[in-house]
Amino acid sequence: MPMPTEERVSQLVAELVARRGFDLEGVAIAAAGKDELAPVRVKVTVDSDGPADLDKIADLSREMSESLDAAGDFGESAYLLEVTTPGVDRPLTTDRHWRRAQGRKVKVSLADGAEPVEGKKKFEARVGRLADDGTIALVLGGRNKPHRVHVPLADIATAVVQVEFNAPGAAELELAGGIAAGRPVPGDEPADLAAAGQHSDTPTEGVAE
């Protein structure tokens, strides 16, 4: 029996994820090993406004496994389900990503045709508040000369959060409007989180009977 597609798994788990107060960020399905009989790995990435609650993620993983088994799309094939939160260095692609990244440092690349920011098309900045008009406040200059500019999100081609091992300067953090509620202060994350960039529930093996 063929494996369900990532789109199909997304459809199966989306309602459950939303009901538990999370946003579904993506589904990835890949072989767990070179053995053809090895179970496939189903990685489901979720996020929320508050801090990652590992107990809630573990509960969600169990409920998701039960839901996938009940749907029967995997047939008698075994699979490993991993429910995780996004890595610290994930790209920012939606408004909610920008709101949750407030206070963090990002590497920005502007879109073709966009007006350069202080003469640059690529630069690092600290994320400020997202305005209702679709512009994002960005703090440039680092610890020494922090100052704020406003850039339309439509002008940004890519933006990727950077892992930080030192706390930001007080002035630049103030200009950014502080850290998004429930998010760790940059440079204060546990060493394993800064390195791995994500929380992950222990993979759960599932198989429809």
Side-chain angles (χ1 to χ4, degrees), residues 119-161:
K120 297 180 179 180
K121 300 281 285 188
K122 296 183 179 182
F123 54 90
E124 288 191 349
R126 194 163 300 280
V127 179
R129 290 192 173 95
L130 178 63
D132 293 337
D133 64 359
T135 61
I136 186 72
L138 297 174
V139 180
L140 306 178
R143 299 174 65 94
N144 297 324
K145 297 181 179 179
H147 57 284
R148 187 166 49 205
V149 299
H150 294 83
V151 179
L153 286 186
D155 286 356
I156 298 176
T158 61
V160 180
V161 175

Side-chain angles (χ1 to χ4, degrees), residues 42-58:
V42 181
K43 181 178 179 180
V44 180
T45 304
V46 300
D47 199 8
S48 63
D49 285 333
D53 186 318
L54 298 186
D55 289 336
K56 288 184 178 179
I57 291 176

Side-chain angles (χ1 to χ4, degrees), residues 44-187:
V44 180
T45 304
V46 300
D47 199 8
S48 63
D49 285 333
D53 186 318
L54 298 186
D55 289 336
K56 288 184 178 179
I57 291 176
D59 290 341
L60 176 63
S61 178
R62 285 190 290 270
E63 292 177 338
M64 198 177 292
S65 180
E66 293 171 0
S67 179
L68 291 175
D69 286 350
D73 285 55
F74 286 91
E76 296 182 356
S77 300
Y79 62 91
L80 293 173
L81 174 64
E82 178 184 2
V83 181
T84 182
T85 55
V88 172
D89 56 350
R90 62 113 173 255
L92 306 180
T93 59
T94 68
D95 287 1
R96 69 171 181 266
H97 293 168
W98 284 98
R99 288 194 297 269
R100 292 167 181 170
Q102 183 176 327
R104 300 211 67 103
K105 182 183 290 185
V106 292
K107 181 176 290 185
V108 176
S109 294
L110 298 180
D112 292 339
E115 186 73 20
V117 174
E118 299 186 352
K120 297 180 179 180
K121 300 281 285 188
K122 296 183 179 182
F123 54 90
E124 288 191 349
R126 194 163 300 280
V127 179
R129 290 192 173 95
L130 178 63
D132 293 337
D133 64 359
T135 61
I136 186 72
L138 297 174
V139 180
L140 306 178
R143 299 174 65 94
N144 297 324
K145 297 181 179 179
H147 57 284
R148 187 166 49 205
V149 299
H150 294 83
V151 179
L153 286 186
D155 286 356
I156 298 176
T158 61
V160 180
V161 175
Q162 304 298 290
V163 175
E164 298 181 73
F165 297 98
N166 297 308
E172 61 173 326
L173 196 55
E174 182 179 356
L175 285 172
I179 306 296
R183 300 283 163 159
V185 176

